[in-house]
Amino acid sequence: MSTPPSDNDTLMFREVNGEILVLDNRSSQIHQLNGTASFIWQAYRQSSSEQDIADAFAAAFHVDEETARSDVANTVQRLRLLNLVR
């Protein structure tokens, strides 16, 4: 598994068929992120702002800006609840 540069050493990840599998060593849980959540997770971990992620998401997935902002905000909130991002 790969470990991304981060301040969270408890997470390891691997991309499989366009989706990210995240192993949280602290909770001993594996999370499977679908393609859109994987896109958002990777962008967020690279210190992109939610607005920048939403702009890239809208372009990549051919959705309107409002939908992209909502999807990004909801996904980031869920990732925070799972302790997959800070």
Side-chain angles (χ1 to χ4, degrees), residues 29-73:
Q29 293 184 330
I30 296 176
H31 305 278
Q32 181 176 356
L33 307 180
N34 66 18
T36 56
S38 294
F39 180 94
I40 293 166
W41 184 78
Q42 289 178 311
Y44 194 87
R45 306 236 340 141
Q46 295 173 6
S47 299
S48 297
S49 71
E50 283 190 36
Q51 182 59 54
D52 289 345
I53 296 168
D55 292 343
F57 185 89
F61 293 96
H62 309 289
V63 297
D64 62 83
E65 291 180 29
E66 183 177 329
T67 299
R69 281 193 303 273
S70 175
D71 288 353
V72 168

Side-chain angles (χ1 to χ4, degrees), residues 2 4-5 8-10 16 19 25 39-40 51 60 64-65 67 70 72 74 77 80-81 84:
S2 303
N8 188 347
D9 294 330
T10 65
V16 178
E19 296 183 343
N25 288 314
F39 180 94
I40 293 166
Q51 182 59 54
D64 62 83
E65 291 180 29
T67 299
S70 175
V72 168
N74 290 334
Q77 180 181 14
R80 282 186 180 132
L81 289 172
L84 299 181

